[in-house]
Amino acid sequence: MSNPNEDNTAQLARVLQDIEHAAEQAAGWLSERDRLVAEAKALGGSHRQIASRADLSHAADAALIKQQAPSSATPARPGR
C-alpha cells in the first residue's frame, strides 16, 4: 500500500514543475508581445490600435512603447 504523504509530495512536485514551465512560457509570450507592440508603433500604429489588441490600457501601452523604444527603434528587415 502506498503512503498518502509520499503520493501527495510526488504530485505536488509535478504540479510545481508544471507551474514553473507555465511561468517560463508566459514570460516568453509577454516578451514577444512587448516586441510586437514596439514594432507596431515603429510602423505607425496608434496607441489606441495597439492597446486594444495587446489588452493594455492606453497608459500601459505608452509606457511599454517608451520602455521598448531604444532597443526597437527600427524594425528588423528580412535578410539583414
Side-chain angles (χ1 to χ4, degrees):
M1 183 172 253
S2 65
N3 183 340
N5 286 336
E6 288 176 6
D7 291 344
N8 189 50
T9 299
Q11 185 176 2
L12 176 58
R14 285 190 300 273
V15 170
L16 291 174
Q17 187 174 17
D18 289 346
I19 291 170
E20 184 176 0
H21 182 67
E24 290 169 356
Q25 288 181 324
W29 278 110
L30 287 174
S31 178
E32 177 65 1
R33 181 206 58 190
D34 295 353
R35 185 193 68 75
L36 291 168
V37 164
E39 184 176 350
K41 186 60 183 170
L43 292 170
S46 72
H47 287 288
R48 184 175 301 231
Q49 289 174 312
I50 295 165
S52 68
R53 287 165 177 83
D55 196 25
L56 295 168
S57 69
H58 179 73
D61 170 56
L64 180 60
I65 289 168
K66 187 180 240 183
Q67 177 186 14
Q68 292 287 317
S71 63
S72 302
T74 56
R77 293 187 180 155
R80 283 198 167 182

